[in-house]
Amino acid sequence: MKAKNLSERDKKHLWHPLTQHKLHSSMLAITKAKEALLYDEDGKEYIDGIASWYTCMYGHCNDYIIEKAYKQMQTLDQVVFSGFTHEPAVLLSEALIKILPENQEKLFLSDNGSTSTEIGIKMALQYHFNQGNKRPVMLAFEDGFHGDTFGSMSVSSLSVYNGPFEDFFIEVERIPVPTKQNIDVLISDLQTRLKKSDIAGFIYEPLVQGAAAMKMHDADGLNKILTVLKQHNVITIADEVMTGFGKTGKNFASDYLSVKPDVICMSKALTAGLVPMAITSCTQKVYDAFYSDDIAKGLFHGHTYTANPIACTAAIAGIELLQTDVMQKNIKRIIASHQKFNAEIKDHSKVASTRQCGIIFALDLAIKMERYGNLRDKLFKHFMDNGVFLRPLGNTIYILAPYVISEAQLQKIYSTIKSALEIV
Ligand SMILES: *Cc1c(COP(=O)(O)O)cnc(C)c1O
């Protein structure tokens, strides 16, 4: 199949995500991927600098994961998870609970990041409902992103083009992310607000807000917010869909916090990019609010492919890989390389600021830029022409590469960013 061929044929029937097709008509056809590389139909290779949206952290088409998934496919492909269970789900639960913050006890499985947060929101709302308390309001950070289904879209403030749906959103109030400057006022405002007991839950991306262009905040302020919310029995929901599985340098961003969440949402790197899956974990306290002789107090939510055995198997293999010495060394190596690059670049006249959390590195250009504007397109083209897949967000360039990226590939990303600074 010729490459141009695929891009052309794509136009006939396919409708792409986050795309205005009249403005962006042509899609690049990718024919294969291995480790940190993507190959297009002309055979040109690109370093996957964002791990295909933070999924393939152990490398594309990872042999270990493929082998495990292939064996599982020959044994049990799919079975209903309501009324049934299977070994991959049980093994996954045991493996994941071991690496989650220790207050997490129960796992609810679904399909994608949006469903994982949707379920987290439902857990918070129904937790109070089941106890006869009326708490219809959700609390979220400004500039948060939690997905594109109705509940998750409601709590996101970054879904940019939400106009047609806003009238149907659930009730949400927002607070700014904590800074050293605002934290005292933020806490006292929160204490005043919490005198009215109508807030069910608080959903937040811990430490790094991905879609907000890798905006970062420190653990101290977040700990203070979580402490106050817990005193008022607000269910705290850490959306670790992006931050989970090693990206911050620890297994979960919540590992940096002394106050652990009631609920954690995971997806993206969970199955190492092989197939879609998500998990919403929670504490015994949350689970117990649904445990009852009354059938209606159960969580009546389910997806057809919940706990698909192949997805569970990929997730187990991913967790195993994450814990290997090789992968942990890779993570440390990338962190150190980013720090060196940061020292080199931070005072550049076109760089306004830089930030890093684990293997996530971001720099803001000292240039005004629209989220989907011309300059963004020019930058994107520069990267792709040079064989580097990076996806600038507004005036932010960020790197979130697979852990298996080689040092030479990392250096190529850095040098391409440096040359990009010369053309903006
Ligand atoms: C990507 C993302 C989501 C949504 O996940 P999907 O699988 O795209 O639905 C939710 N929360 C965060 C923090 C994300 O990065």
Side-chain angles (χ1 to χ4, degrees):
M1 192 99 0
K2 287 293 287 181
K4 298 285 175 296
N5 218 346
L6 285 179
S7 291
E8 277 313 306
R9 282 161 61 200
D10 169 276
K11 289 178 194 168
K12 194 148 187 223
H13 300 297
L14 291 168
W15 190 342
H16 288 261
L18 308 172
T19 301
Q20 170 50 273
H21 278 269
K22 190 165 184 189
L23 298 177
H24 188 135
S25 63
S26 196
M27 302 294 151
L28 180 66
I30 298 296
T31 50
K32 62 174 186 172
K34 191 71 189 169
E35 292 170 355
L37 292 175
L38 299 168
Y39 299 83
D40 74 12
E41 55 187 336
D42 293 328
K44 183 171 163 62
E45 56 179 60
Y46 306 87
I47 299 168
D48 190 352
I50 65 161
S52 288
W53 266 340
Y54 336 136
T55 56
C56 310
M57 300 311 296
Y58 319 108
H60 285 278
C61 296
N62 182 288
D63 292 335
Y64 182 71
I65 295 171
I66 291 171
E67 196 192 309
K68 294 252 168 175
Y70 182 61
K71 277 210 187 109
Q72 183 56 46
M73 277 181 198
Q74 295 170 311
T75 318
L76 175 67
D77 52 354
Q78 167 67 1
V79 67
V80 171
F81 203 60
S82 185
F84 295 88
T85 192
H86 49 73
E87 190 177 37
V90 173
L91 289 176
L92 171 58
S93 69
E94 291 164 354
L96 185 57
I97 287 290
K98 267 195 206 128
I99 64 164
L100 278 170
E102 60 187 15
N103 68 342
Q104 301 296 299
E105 281 297 333
K106 299 286 177 179
L107 309 176
F108 195 99
L109 279 59
S110 66
D111 304 332
N112 60 73
S114 302
T115 54
S116 77
T117 57
E118 200 80 29
I119 290 159
I121 293 164
K122 280 190 171 183
M123 282 179 178
L125 293 171
Q126 193 178 342
Y127 170 88
H128 296 287
F129 183 91
N130 278 357
Q131 298 172 74
N133 299 322
K134 207 169 175 302
R135 291 199 182 203
V137 184
M138 286 297 298
L139 192 66
F141 272 148
E142 287 166 6
D143 291 339
F145 177 75
H146 304 288
D148 283 341
T149 54
F150 269 85
S152 61
M153 186 169 51
S154 305
V155 289
S156 302
S157 56
L158 254 179
S159 303
V160 206
Y161 305 113
N162 272 345
F165 316 115
E166 277 165 5
D167 289 348
F168 310 100
F169 282 3
I170 57 173
E171 209 180 321
V172 178
E173 289 180 24
R174 291 178 213 291
I175 53 172
V177 293
T179 62
K180 298 235 175 335
Q181 292 73 40
N182 76 3
I183 187 66
D184 293 337
V185 176
L186 208 167
I187 293 296
S188 80
D189 285 355
L190 202 53
Q191 267 157 342
T192 310
R193 175 62 187 82
L194 288 165
K195 286 192 179 129
K196 196 175 163 203
S197 306
D198 59 348
I199 296 178
F202 169 56
I203 186 163
Y204 60 100
E205 292 162 272
L207 306 190
V208 189
Q209 294 181 294
M214 304 298 158
K215 205 169 144 188
M216 296 175 192
H217 54 268
D218 64 33
D220 285 353
L222 184 52
N223 274 327
K224 287 185 182 141
I225 293 171
L226 295 175
T227 302
V228 173
L229 292 172
K230 290 211 168 204
Q231 283 161 357
H232 291 80
N233 206 21
V234 172
I235 298 298
T236 53
I237 307 167
D239 178 353
E240 297 236 22
V241 170
M242 194 280 291
T243 48
F245 303 99
K247 290 162 198 146
T248 61
K250 299 200 184 208
N251 289 338
F252 295 93
S254 295
D255 294 336
Y256 287 93
L257 293 147
S258 54
V259 188
K260 305 299 178 195
D262 300 301
V263 173
I264 300 179
C265 309
M266 292 156 265
S267 186
K268 293 207 162 112
L270 171 64
T271 59
L274 189 77
V275 281
M277 181 159 87
I279 298 184
T280 310
S281 69
C282 70
T283 58
Q284 191 69 39
K285 174 185 108 167
V286 171
Y287 181 80
D288 285 347
F290 293 74
Y291 192 78
S292 162
D293 291 321
D294 180 358
I295 188 169
K297 287 195 171 166
L299 181 56
F300 276 82
H301 185 110
H303 298 282
T304 310
Y305 277 95
T306 293
N308 170 264
I310 297 153
C312 290
T313 302
I316 297 163
I319 291 169
E320 285 169 0
L321 287 176
L322 174 64
Q323 292 174 285
T324 58
D325 280 351
V326 174
M327 218 52 78
Q328 291 299 321
K329 273 193 193 131
N330 280 335
I331 291 172
K332 291 204 179 77
R333 169 178 59 85
I334 298 171
I335 291 173
S337 295
H338 283 349
Q339 284 164 348
K340 258 192 239 149
F341 176 56
N342 181 50
E344 240 177 88
I345 199 104
K346 68 182 188 344
D347 298 323
H348 191 288
S349 62
K350 298 218 178 117
V351 175
S353 61
T354 61
R355 55 196 173 274
Q356 183 183 349
C357 178
I359 66 127
I360 306 167
F361 178 83
L363 68 85
D364 289 343
L365 295 169
I367 293 162
K368 262 226 162 18
M369 210 159 109
E370 281 165 44
R371 194 170 172 95
Y372 295 101
N374 285 339
L375 192 54
R376 187 259 173 212
D377 292 346
K378 188 175 166 185
L379 266 180
F380 181 73
K381 188 174 177 306
H382 174 81
F383 292 137
M384 294 301 278
D385 286 349
N386 284 283
V388 173
F389 173 37
L390 289 179
R391 220 170 162 274
L393 280 173
N395 65 345
T396 303
I397 297 171
Y398 72 92
I399 311 170
L400 204 167
Y403 303 140
V404 297
I405 192 168
S406 72
E407 201 48 41
Q409 288 167 333
L410 255 187
Q411 293 305 326
K412 179 158 180 202
I413 294 182
Y414 299 149
S415 64
T416 310
I417 291 176
K418 279 192 244 167
S419 59
L421 295 178
E422 305 310 315
I423 64 154
V424 296

